[in-house]
Structures are given as structure tokens and as C-alpha cells.
Amino acid sequence: MLTALYVPANRPDRFAKAVAADPDLVVFDLEDAVPVADKADARGWAVAWVAANASGPVEIRVNALHSPWIADDLAAICAVPSVRLRVPKVESAADVHAVLEKVPSARITALIESPLGVERAFEIATADPRVVAVALGEADLSSALGVDSPAGLAWSRARLVSASRAAGLGAPMMSVYPNVHDLDGLRKTSQEGRALGFVGRTAIHPRQLSTIVEAFTPTPAQVTAAEELLAAVEKADVTNGGVLVLPDGRMVDPAMIGRAREVTALMREIESRR
């Protein structure tokens, strides 16, 4: 999964447009994007749309766990089978379990937005098999850490990638880039995230999607190297404790082979979109 697109749940006129933009996931946002006065209407619109299009790649971001609106969110969402929820401000496995007790059929993206949540990232990622992803909420986290630049988030980002991989969830997606007009900044920061191990990013406007895909696309040199390595492995016939000795004398271990397969698989996924 390379792209997810937020759409404010109080704007049902944008729902079909968000889907038509063809992200991997559309996230109907009941939380930050929706004024208090619109919470009830937004909940009804989002739940009705998702219920009618349950087979689509959709997710509902509910309000924060300790907010005045979360109980109504979860009660309404119970009517939607196998719904995927993005849960803000998760800080523990207990938070995950509290949501799943109310909506047992849900699949959870746990949004980690505090230093405590970062410290417990692996606990959260392994809280239940119904946790399908973890993600950072970087605006709240930056404020809590007292940092004003991406450099201050480097450790938290790396921690999330490690926790997600260790939990068997695969590489996580990056948080949003808030300036929808600065595509150069989006590209640069996405490439920095790719270097840390992220695969893909959430967006707040359809115009960001193609730049995100571009930034997370392996370079031609990376694809060529991966393909050549896998082709050489196919021909190799000498093994020694899990290490392959290629005809040209190179030693290749399983980790290198696995990474080459990841690169080629990602490239096939990207090419399938074109």
C-alpha cells in the first residue's frame, strides 16, 4: 500500500471524488477535519457510505479515544461488518482492546501521537491480530516532543518502522505533508522517509498522490541491481549454511535476497497502476 487519502466526513460531496482519485485507501475523517457542530452528520454520512461500499478500500478515522464523541462513533460503526478503523491517540494495548470490545469485527490502524505511544509501539502493534497497521500522528507528536523540524522526529519514525516490521505488519506509511502546494517538499520528505524504511504516505489532497508514488518508487539502479541479483541466484548451485556463492564469486545471504524480492515486488505493484 503506497497511498491513503483523507477526506473530511462532513463533505459527502467529496466522497466519490476521493475514491475516483484512486488511492490505495480512502480515509473518512471524523476527527480533526470535522467541526464539533458537524460531528453527528459527518458520522452518519461516513458510516452510510462505507456500509454501502464495504468492499472498497476504505477506512474511518474515529474521534480520539477519550473524546466526547468516540462512544457514538463506535456505536454507529458496529452496523458496518469488517470495517477498518483508524484510531487516534493510541498509547497502549489496552486502548486497542477497548475499541475491539465495542467493534469486534473491526480491523485497526493504530495512530500513535504521543511519546508514550512511541515507547509502546511494539506493544500496540502486537496487541491483537486485528491490528493491521500502525502510523504516526506527527503534528501532535512534534508538539509533545517540543521539536520544530523533521530531524526531531527521526528516532520516532525509525522506532515505528522497526516496531511494525518486528510485529509482522510490514513497512508503515508516513504521516501527511500539510502543504498541498509544495510538491517539492513532499517529494523530498517522502524520499527521506523511504530511506528510513517507510513505504508510502497518507495525503490530504489528490494532487499529492502521484508525487508520493514517484517518491516511493525504487530507482532504476535499485531495480536493476535487484533483478540481476535474483537472476544470479536462480543460476547458483552452491550453498553453504544459507549463503549462496554466485558464479562471479559474490556471497549472498537470505536477507539480501529477501530485500531484492521486496524491491521487485514493489516495482510490479507500481507498474500495475500505470
Side-chain angles (χ1 to χ4, degrees):
M1 186 176 293
L2 286 174
T3 57
L5 177 62
Y6 278 114
V7 58
N10 63 330
R11 294 296 305 271
D13 56 308
R14 296 183 182 177
F15 291 0
K17 294 177 183 177
V19 173
D22 200 28
D24 293 311
L25 185 70
V26 176
V27 183
F28 295 86
D29 188 8
L30 301 180
E31 194 203 16
D32 289 346
V34 179
V36 171
D38 293 344
K39 294 285 188 186
D41 285 340
R43 180 186 306 117
W45 288 325
V47 170
W49 200 96
V50 172
N53 299 272
S55 62
V58 297
E59 186 172 83
I60 299 176
R61 178 162 82 165
V62 296
N63 285 283
L65 285 171
H66 304 294
S67 72
W69 309 286
I70 183 62
D72 288 339
D73 288 349
L74 298 181
I77 286 165
C78 279
V80 184
S82 302
V83 67
R84 180 163 168 157
L85 299 182
R86 181 166 295 235
V87 182
K89 300 180 174 59
V90 175
E91 293 190 319
S92 67
D95 288 342
V96 172
H97 296 149
V99 173
L100 290 171
E101 285 175 7
K102 300 293 185 182
V103 193
S105 67
R107 292 168 295 153
I108 301 292
T109 294
L111 195 56
I112 295 171
E113 304 184 72
S114 69
L116 181 57
V118 172
E119 291 295 331
R120 293 174 172 170
F122 181 72
E123 171 192 328
I124 292 166
T126 56
D128 189 277
R130 289 165 287 184
V131 176
V132 295
V134 290
L136 284 180
E138 293 189 352
D140 283 32
L141 182 59
S142 294
S143 177
L145 292 174
V147 300
D148 299 313
S149 72
L153 293 174
W155 185 86
S156 297
R157 287 173 169 173
R159 173 90 175 201
L160 191 80
V161 171
S162 180
S164 184
R165 288 282 194 171
L169 300 180
M173 300 176 72
M174 290 185 75
S175 183
V176 301
Y177 188 77
N179 187 334
V180 300
H181 299 293
D182 181 16
L183 297 182
D184 288 337
L186 172 64
R187 182 181 297 102
K188 178 177 182 295
T189 56
S190 296
Q191 290 169 340
E192 291 169 353
R194 186 181 71 181
L196 287 173
F198 287 93
V199 176
R201 189 166 199 169
T202 50
I204 56 174
H205 195 284
R207 70 165 57 100
Q208 295 180 314
L209 296 175
S210 60
T211 300
I212 291 170
V213 173
E214 174 194 334
F216 284 95
T217 297
T219 66
Q222 289 172 324
V223 174
T224 297
E227 290 175 341
E228 289 179 349
L229 175 60
L230 293 176
V233 167
E234 286 280 330
K235 298 176 181 178
D237 59 1
V238 180
T239 62
N240 180 17
V243 175
L244 296 177
V245 181
L246 301 180
D248 63 4
R250 284 183 295 163
M251 296 183 68
V252 179
D253 65 18
M256 296 169 66
I257 298 169
R259 179 58 186 154
R261 287 175 176 152
E262 284 186 349
V263 170
T264 56
L266 177 58
M267 199 63 214
R268 286 195 299 272
E269 178 185 346
I270 292 168
E271 287 176 342
S272 71
R273 302 162 179 267
R274 296 171 178 167

